[in-house]
Structure formats: C-alpha cells, structure tokens
C-alpha cells in the first residue's frame, strides 16, 4: 500500500505532541497528561498540554495559543478528544468553535462509556478525522490512565534494586546502597510520575524510608504502607505530615485500636481492610480503595514478599529491575521475589522483551508484563 503524503508529516507532529505529554506527567492525574499541537501550512502555530486536573485540557491550551490561525488548521492530539463534560467542557466543542478542519489523534479514548465518541462526533460534523497515528507510543504514554479507566485499579510498577546475584540486601539486612546515585535519581523521577508509592511493613521498619520525590518541581506521591498489625512506630519518617499528600497505612480490621489512634494523631490515614487467605491485608481490596480515590498509578518499592503478592494477584503492569555490578552471596540474603515461588518454569510470569538502560555503572531492565 502506498504511503499517503500526509503520513510522515502526521508522525512528525504526533511525536512533538508526545513530547509535550511528559510536561504534565505527575501533575494532571487522575486525568491523562495529553499533548496537543496545532499546525497550519506545515508550521506549528499552537501547542499545549494538560497541566493539572480541573484546568483546561491540552487541546484548549493549543487552540488558545493558535488563535485565529487555528481556523482551517490541523490539530494533533495524543488521545482522542473528549466528548463529555467533566470539570471542564468537552474538547470536541472547543475544536469545532476554533474552526479546525482536520483532527489527528493517537490513542483512542478507553473510557467504556464514551469510547470513540469524540472522533465520531467530529467526523459527523464534517471534520477530517485520522485516528491511530503512533497509537502504540501514545497508549504507552497514557498507560496509567488507560489501566485505571478500564480496570478501576491503579497501574502498578514493580521496582526492585538488586546485586548481580539477585540480592536486595546482605544476609544481615544491610541494603544502603545497592545501586548508585544515577539509578536513585531516576527512581525519584519515577516517584514524581506516579500518584502513590507502596512498601510493606518490613521495609518501613528496617529502612525507615521517607518515600518522597526529592526533585525540584515534582510532586510527592501518596505514601502507602501495608501494615496488617500496625507495627509502624509513630516516629516513622513516612508519616511526616508536612510532606503532602500524606501517608495511608493499610491494616486489618482487627488491628489494635490504640495504635491506630496514635498513628492517626501522627498524621497517618488508617485504612482497615479485610484479610486475604494468608491473614494479611487483602491487596485487591486495597487496589479497589486506591482506584476509587483516583490513584491511577502506583510504584511498589517493597520487599520480596510484597513483590510475590502483587505478582500472584495479577496486579503488576510493568517491572523496573535495577542491577548493580556487585555480588554479596549468602543463602539467607533476601532476593527480588519471595513467596513459595512457582513450581514449574512454564508457570513463570512472562515479560515482554525489556528495554535496557544504563545509569552510571548500573543496568535497568524495564518490561511490561504479559497476560
């Protein structure tokens, strides 16, 4: 099939719109960080991105920047323009009012209530609509939103740092630091992308982490601690009430009331949940609660036990494994995934072909899970 003369140009401008999405990442949730570009006679005359929930969407920013030059122009959007009113009016109406003649978008709207509505509405009103340009790249950029809107749960990233022999700490439990400063800086970037970060009680007790994003201009995630019996001390750094948006401690329904009160006084939100078949906090119930709160993305930085539980529950959407060029050995040194383990190799969780990145001397394998 011959390539349309518009196709290379469409890809070029969609890549520009994709680059804009990253400016809103971490700020726009629970909305997607959409990017938009308005093009007239082959020149960009306006661009925008969704900077914050409740504020105008990317299309509106781009159209305002273009002004009268939007009339008869093409708009490139990474996600199908919305055709429903929420905290802001539908973007389809803004596109019509601006006099746009052609709409090119990447990912289709995954919202089951309105899927396809925006593109169809515009096409029915005489606009030329081209869907699916760089769709896989656009879907990847909007993966947090897509997972949340289609499942009701957050998109979960499982992050682990280990030595080359797969140890996350020494046999004594010493773990600072497994990886180098470049890897840790990248992890802080990821913390700035996501809505929440989660660890188990063991990690919270042994490491006393802050779980904040220490990069200027980036927001902190909600800090979530899985603590069935409320062992977390009130002096834990993760409770710091000065670090918005705060800390959520998930415990069992029969966890001690007096400790729950002390943690609440120290700044925690205490969430009582049912037990799973192992007598621990039911992760599915926690995911339901987080999703209902509008948490679209979750970075799991806990230990081997939490990693196993998330994988066993089918909750992991992507994996970030950092490996440092170190060997510590030790039969009792903790590994990357705990639990009883799979009994057969054909039962292993299969990952997509990973992207390999270098951070100083460390190597990161970044993969989206299958199935």
């Amino acid at each position: 099939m011959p390539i349309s003369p518009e196709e290379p140009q469409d890809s070029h401008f969609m890549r520009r719109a994709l680059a804009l999405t990253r400016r809103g990442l971490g700020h726009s949730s629970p909305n997607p960080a959409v990017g938009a570009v308005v093009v007239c006679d082959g020149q960009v005359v306006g661009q925008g991105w969704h900077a914050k929930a409740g504020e105008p969407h990317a299309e509106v920013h781009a159209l305002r920047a273009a002004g009268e030059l939007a009339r008869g122009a093409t708009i490139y959007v990474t996600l199908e323009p919305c055709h429903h009113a929420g905290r802001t009016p539908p973007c389809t109406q803004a596109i019509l009012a601006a006099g746009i003649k052609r709409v090119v978008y990447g990912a289709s709207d995954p919202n089951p209530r309105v899927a396809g509505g925006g593109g169809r509405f515009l096409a029915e009103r005489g606009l030329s609509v081209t869907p699916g340009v760089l769709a896989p790249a656009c879907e990847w950029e909007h993966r947090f939103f897509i997972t949340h809107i289609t499942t009701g749960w957050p998109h979960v990233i499982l992050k682990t740092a280990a030595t080359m022999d797969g140890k996350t700490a020494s046999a004594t439990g010493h773990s600072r630091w497994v990886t180098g400063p470049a890897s840790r800086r990248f992890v802080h970037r990821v913390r700035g992308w996501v809505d929440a970060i989660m660890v188990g009680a063991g990690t919270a007790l042994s490491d006393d982490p802050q779980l904040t994003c220490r990069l200027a201009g980036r927001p902190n995630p909600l800090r979530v601690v899985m603590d069935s019996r409320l062992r977390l001390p009130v002096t834990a750094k993760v409770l710091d009430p000065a670090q918005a948006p705060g800390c959520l401690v998930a415990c069992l329904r029969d966890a001690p009331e007096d400790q729950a009160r002390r943690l609440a006084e120290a700044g925690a939100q205490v969430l009582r949940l049912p037990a799973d078949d192992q007598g621990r906090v039911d992760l599915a119930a926690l995911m339901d609660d987080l999703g209902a709160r509008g948490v679209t993305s979750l970075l799991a930085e806990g230990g081997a036990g939490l990693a196993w539980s998330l994988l066993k529950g089918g909750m992991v959407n992507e994996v970030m494994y950092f490996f440092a060029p170190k060997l510590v050995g030790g039969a009792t040194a903790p590994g990357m995934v705990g639990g009883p383990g799979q009994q057969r190799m054909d039962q292993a969780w299969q990952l997509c072909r990973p992207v390999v990145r270098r951070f100083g001397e460390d190597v990161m394998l970044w993969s989206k899970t299958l199935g």
Side-chain angles (χ1 to χ4, degrees):
M1 172 184 277
I3 297 176
S4 163
E6 291 180 326
E7 287 187 10
Q9 177 172 282
D10 286 349
S11 296
H12 169 76
F13 289 119
M14 189 60 75
R15 288 191 187 93
R16 182 155 181 168
L18 277 166
L20 293 171
T21 66
R22 290 148 207 161
R23 301 189 185 185
L25 192 60
H27 298 283
S28 65
S29 186
N31 295 338
V34 175
V37 173
V38 178
V39 176
C40 180
D41 296 328
Q43 300 295 317
V44 174
V45 295
Q47 63 182 27
W49 62 92
H50 188 36
K52 187 177 181 181
E55 295 184 359
H57 290 185
E59 296 95 319
V60 174
H61 284 300
L63 293 168
R64 287 176 178 173
E68 283 302 311
L69 293 176
R71 194 158 300 278
T74 297
I75 188 168
Y76 293 85
V77 192
T78 56
L79 184 67
E80 182 178 4
C82 65
H83 185 50
H84 60 284
R87 295 169 68 180
T88 59
C91 289
T92 50
Q93 297 292 346
I95 289 170
L96 283 177
I100 289 286
K101 293 300 181 186
R102 182 170 181 251
V103 177
V104 181
Y105 66 84
S108 296
D109 189 340
N111 190 329
R113 295 176 300 172
V114 296
R120 184 169 58 250
F121 173 83
L122 293 169
E124 288 172 350
R125 278 147 186 80
L127 278 70
S128 173
V129 178
T130 303
V133 173
L134 300 186
C138 293
E139 289 165 0
W140 173 254
E141 291 296 333
H142 300 313
R143 64 197 185 279
F144 299 166
F145 172 73
I146 291 172
T147 298
H148 182 252
I149 203 71
T150 56
T151 70
W153 284 3
H155 183 100
V156 176
I157 303 171
L158 176 60
K159 172 261 171 183
T160 303
T163 59
M164 284 295 184
D165 54 344
K167 307 299 185 181
T168 59
S170 70
T172 65
H174 188 266
S175 60
R176 293 194 177 181
W177 295 100
V178 174
T179 52
S183 293
R184 298 199 297 274
R185 279 195 299 272
F186 180 75
V187 171
H188 281 287
R189 282 183 58 195
V190 178
R191 289 182 179 184
W193 296 347
V194 299
D195 295 334
I197 180 171
M198 180 167 68
V199 297
T203 298
L205 291 169
S206 61
D207 294 350
D208 194 19
Q210 297 179 57
L211 301 184
T212 53
C213 173
R214 293 185 280 280
L215 297 179
R218 304 301 302 178
N220 285 324
L222 172 70
R223 303 178 297 283
V224 181
V225 180
M226 295 279 290
D227 187 8
S228 296
R229 303 307 309 171
L230 294 181
R231 295 182 294 153
L232 193 69
V234 295
T235 56
K237 293 176 183 175
V238 75
L239 297 176
D240 185 356
Q243 299 290 347
C247 179
L248 177 70
V249 180
C251 66
L252 293 174
R253 286 173 174 163
D254 63 350
E257 185 61 43
D258 55 345
Q259 179 64 359
R261 184 176 62 255
R262 285 192 290 267
L263 288 172
E265 290 171 352
Q269 305 173 57
V270 178
L271 175 65
R272 294 183 180 273
L273 292 170
D276 63 13
D277 56 6
Q278 301 297 312
R280 294 172 298 207
V281 169
D282 188 325
L283 273 171
L286 175 59
M287 293 298 167
D288 286 339
D289 183 88
L290 292 174
R293 292 170 184 259
V295 173
T296 67
S297 52
L298 172 70
L299 178 64
E301 288 198 24
L306 180 60
W308 166 260
S309 297
L310 289 167
L311 287 165
K312 185 171 178 283
M315 301 171 188
V316 178
N317 300 101
E318 62 186 274
V319 172
M320 291 181 178
Y321 274 172
F322 293 80
F323 291 95
K326 302 174 182 177
L327 302 171
V328 294
T332 60
M336 301 165 74
V337 180
Q342 301 290 32
Q343 301 302 302
R344 295 171 51 86
M345 192 56 65
D346 56 13
Q347 295 172 333
W349 290 282
Q350 182 66 51
L351 307 180
C352 289
R353 182 178 181 180
V355 172
V356 181
R357 293 188 61 175
R358 294 289 300 270
F359 295 96
E361 296 182 345
D362 303 331
V363 175
M364 180 185 73
L365 301 181
W366 191 354
S367 181
K368 179 180 179 182
T369 58
L370 293 179

